[in-house]
Amino acid sequence: MDLTRTEVAKGAAAEAATGRRRGSAARLALMAVPVAFFAVFFAYPVAAIVARGLKIDGAWQFGRIGEVLAQSGVRHVLWFTTWQALASTALTLLIALPGAYVFARFDFPGKQVLRAVVTVPFVLPTVVVGTAFLALVGRGGLLDELWGVRLDTTVWAILLAHVFFNYAVVVRTVGGLWSQLDPRQEEAARMLGASRLKAWRQVTLPALAPAVAAAGLMVFLFTFTSFGVVQILGGPTFSTLEVEIYRQTSQIFDLSTAAVLTLIQFVAVAAILAVHAWTVRRRETALRLVDAATTARRPRGSGQWALLAGVLATVAVLLVLPLAVLVERSLGAPGFGYYRALTREDGGAFLVPPIEAIGNSLQYAVAATVIAVVIGALAATALTRRDAGRFVRGFDALLMLPLGVSAVTVGFGFLIALDEPPLDLRASWILVPLAQALVGVPFVVRTMLPVLRAVDGRLREAAAVLGASPWRVWREVDLPMVRRALLVAAGFAFAVSLGEFGATVFIARPDNPTLPVAVARLLGRPGDMNYGQAMALSTILMLVCAVALVVLERLRTDRSGEF
């Protein structure tokens, strides 16, 4: 009897080991598709444009890097890019951290609606953000009409637009952790005689530090690579690396300088992502968390009510007002004149009526969402194991690179690299969704990965021991638990694909413009009618993104709702 039990135990262990080996092999197979996708549609185009710029007569000219860096104009661009990113990050943290505390610790009527309102700017295309602030602080904007004040010629317009765009990153990232910290630890410190400030500084702040660092790094990354906002609000005065790469590529046709700037940005982004990955791992393993539902309570005392009122006022002025002004400017012509003008051909910047950009954007975004969800789901499944090796962790970092590497470089690289069989795609409609999917995949992975990691691994092992194939394990164990996260991921991919601008501006055909490209073209043409049509298209784009966000909020869970 004992021998039989031993044999059974050995057999079960052997089956489990076989299941684990099959799981490892399946994980590598799952990684093959995302790796191939990123190699062909990300690494290859970027390498092609860098090679085109630095390779002359078959020889690499790395001395060109020093020549470009020696140019005073390039040094100024590097300085401004870094300075404005640091300033934007500091200003965003200063303004958004009180909001993170309010969402984490306070329970008040309309909290979920306010959470959706706060998140709307993050999913808006940068072109819409730039247009909204142009309507608020630019020539003929609200501040100009009321007080004769214009900020579009100053760096403050860019900084405030970046705060507008990234406010939700801090609120969601820091507030999500803050809501799960046990408040009794700080209360215990106060009972031992510590002041409120000292207790917060010595107990809560060290616990929040990884989340604050992660949020700050993400804000720095987004502002360091800012394109649409600076392109619209910066004018000829201010230029980030991304804007300068676009100018060198599309206006001056200096691929050599553009290649050097791309390499500089790539190195900087890789360093930022490496530090971000370290802070995220520290955040995941260093804390004991409690149920977020048990930490929020109604504000008590005049100080807390004043803090809530201040956060509401900040949201109203900084986040809601620019969008309200955008809508108001789009209605400036009698009888919805700007909207009706979108249905007419003008024979200028468009070969078709601008209204067709709506249908084009929706079709492209749907195709990009399908691609991003398939690639992202495969990648997230491959990354599920926490004990994965360095190669898998490096693959995780690779998936984030499209968020920071120049989208302009990727778009122009598409035109250069994908021009020969079997990848001659320059005339194909699929080129735009492929570029948009590159930006959507990181959001899919970041949304699905925490939920997949929360699935009890013993369930997978048990299914494998019973003879289930990896595909059947995914279908019957993982999928039922992550279905909602998968829908949320699809929503995020749709929203970011809808607003992608940096790469699409190069590859969208004149007879098939997307909404962000159409807005940029209209803003680049003089005349009130063109300006009004840009406001109208931006409003439509904002509403589509807002509807997608409302759906996301209905589907969101505590695990799947973080960035």
Side-chain angles (χ1 to χ4, degrees):
M1 187 69 176
D2 291 338
L3 180 61
T4 302
R5 290 179 178 176
T6 302
E7 290 176 348
V8 170
K10 289 182 178 179
E15 287 289 341
T18 302
R20 284 192 292 270
R21 285 195 297 270
R22 287 195 330 199
S24 298
R27 184 167 65 249
L28 292 176
L30 289 171
M31 288 176 58
V33 176
V35 166
F37 178 80
F38 274 81
V40 173
F41 298 112
F42 177 67
Y44 178 45
V46 172
I49 194 170
V50 171
R52 182 69 64 92
L54 294 182
K55 206 171 184 179
I56 301 175
D57 296 329
W60 288 95
Q61 303 294 326
F62 291 108
R64 179 63 179 152
I65 297 177
E67 295 175 6
V68 171
L69 292 176
Q71 299 175 15
S72 59
V74 170
R75 291 200 304 272
H76 176 76
V77 169
L78 290 173
W79 173 85
F80 176 74
T81 300
T82 305
W83 176 86
Q84 65 82 28
L86 289 171
S88 297
T89 302
L91 192 60
T92 302
L93 290 173
L94 179 65
I95 294 176
L97 282 176
Y101 175 79
V102 165
F103 278 101
R105 295 302 197 204
F106 291 170
D107 186 20
F108 52 91
K111 181 177 178 179
Q112 295 304 319
V113 175
L114 187 63
R115 184 191 296 273
V117 170
V118 165
T119 312
V120 166
F122 180 77
V123 300
L124 285 181
T126 55
V127 171
V128 174
V129 175
T131 306
F133 272 81
L134 195 65
L136 179 64
V137 303
R139 179 178 59 85
L142 181 64
L143 295 185
D144 191 16
E145 289 181 355
L146 294 178
W147 298 294
V149 175
R150 288 182 56 188
L151 297 178
D152 59 325
T153 57
T154 72
V155 73
W156 280 106
I158 296 173
L159 298 182
L160 291 175
H162 284 161
V163 175
F164 169 91
F165 186 76
N166 293 294
Y167 185 91
V169 176
V170 177
V171 169
R172 290 261 183 162
T173 304
V174 180
L177 179 62
W178 210 334
S179 66
Q180 294 180 279
L181 293 181
D182 192 345
R184 291 174 296 184
Q185 296 179 356
E186 188 173 326
E187 292 171 2
R190 295 196 62 197
M191 290 181 62
L192 294 174
S195 64
R196 183 183 297 272
L197 178 60
K198 185 177 181 180
W200 181 84
R201 190 177 68 249
Q202 295 186 353
V203 177
T204 303
L205 183 58
L208 285 177
V212 174
L217 284 167
M218 288 306 295
V219 173
F220 183 84
L221 175 64
F222 290 143
T223 53
F224 187 84
T225 58
S226 181
F227 177 57
V229 168
V230 181
Q231 176 79 351
I232 293 174
L233 296 176
T237 307
F238 303 109
S239 179
T240 57
L241 268 174
E242 187 84 351
V243 174
E244 187 64 19
I245 291 171
Y246 175 75
R247 189 175 74 90
Q248 295 288 341
T249 302
S250 64
Q251 298 176 11
I252 303 178
F253 305 107
D254 186 351
L255 291 185
S256 178
T257 299
V260 172
L261 296 179
T262 297
L263 287 175
I264 294 172
Q265 183 165 304
F266 182 85
V267 171
V269 167
I272 295 169
L273 290 177
V275 177
H276 180 265
W278 178 79
T279 59
V280 168
R281 286 197 299 271
R282 183 182 173 191
R283 172 187 168 190
E284 287 180 346
T285 58
L287 299 173
R288 286 180 171 177
L289 305 179
V290 299
D291 186 359
T294 64
T295 62
R297 54 178 172 74
R298 299 276 292 184
R300 291 180 295 188
S302 58
Q304 292 188 355
W305 282 107
L307 177 61
L308 176 59
V311 169
L312 293 177
T314 300
V315 171
V317 173
L318 184 63
L319 305 185
V320 177
L321 182 60
L323 300 180
V325 173
L326 176 66
V327 175
E328 185 271 333
R329 288 294 186 270
S330 74
L331 299 173
F336 298 96
Y338 294 142
Y339 289 92
R340 288 189 289 106
L342 296 175
T343 62
R344 298 194 294 265
E345 295 185 33
D346 62 0
F350 300 96
L351 301 180
V352 295
I355 196 71
E356 292 193 12
I358 300 174
N360 296 334
S361 286
L362 292 175
Q363 293 174 19
Y364 288 144
V366 169
T369 299
V370 172
I371 298 171
V373 167
V374 172
I375 300 298
L378 291 174
T381 304
L383 293 168
T384 299
R385 288 281 297 275
R386 287 183 179 273
D387 57 347
R390 292 182 180 179
F391 175 74
V392 177
R393 289 197 296 270
F395 173 63
D396 189 11
L398 170 68
L399 296 174
M400 295 291 290
L401 282 178
L403 291 181
V405 173
S406 171
V408 171
T409 300
V410 174
F412 195 61
F414 270 33
L415 296 181
I416 291 177
L418 305 180
D419 62 343
E420 296 179 356
L423 290 175
D424 188 1
L425 302 177
R426 286 183 301 175
S428 174
W429 67 272
I430 196 64
L431 207 60
V432 173
L434 286 172
Q436 294 173 343
L438 283 172
V439 183
V441 167
F443 288 92
V444 174
V445 173
R446 295 271 74 81
T447 301
M448 294 189 62
L449 192 56
V451 182
L452 283 170
R453 283 178 171 167
V455 178
D456 192 341
R458 291 173 295 182
L459 296 176
R460 300 189 184 100
E461 292 178 359
V465 168
L466 293 174
S469 65
W471 163 246
R472 188 176 179 184
V473 171
W474 157 257
R475 188 178 71 247
E476 297 186 7
V477 177
D478 293 84
L479 183 58
M481 297 184 181
V482 302
R483 184 180 292 112
R484 181 171 295 181
L486 188 64
L487 293 174
V488 172
F492 270 120
F494 179 80
V496 299
S497 299
L498 197 65
E500 204 288 320
F501 176 61
T504 308
V505 70
F506 274 97
I507 56 182
R509 300 204 309 256
D511 57 340
N512 284 288
T514 63
L515 278 169
V517 172
V519 170
R521 289 180 184 173
L522 287 168
L523 287 175
R525 303 174 66 190
D528 291 338
M529 180 57 69
N530 290 316
Y531 179 81
Q533 289 183 78
M535 297 294 160
L537 275 181
S538 296
T539 300
I540 293 172
L541 187 51
M542 176 191 70
L543 292 176
V544 173
C545 290
V547 169
L549 182 64
V550 169
V551 175
L552 288 181
E553 283 297 315
R554 289 187 176 274
L555 295 173
R556 185 183 62 85
T557 64
D558 286 339
R559 284 187 174 273
S560 63
E562 296 181 1
F563 294 130

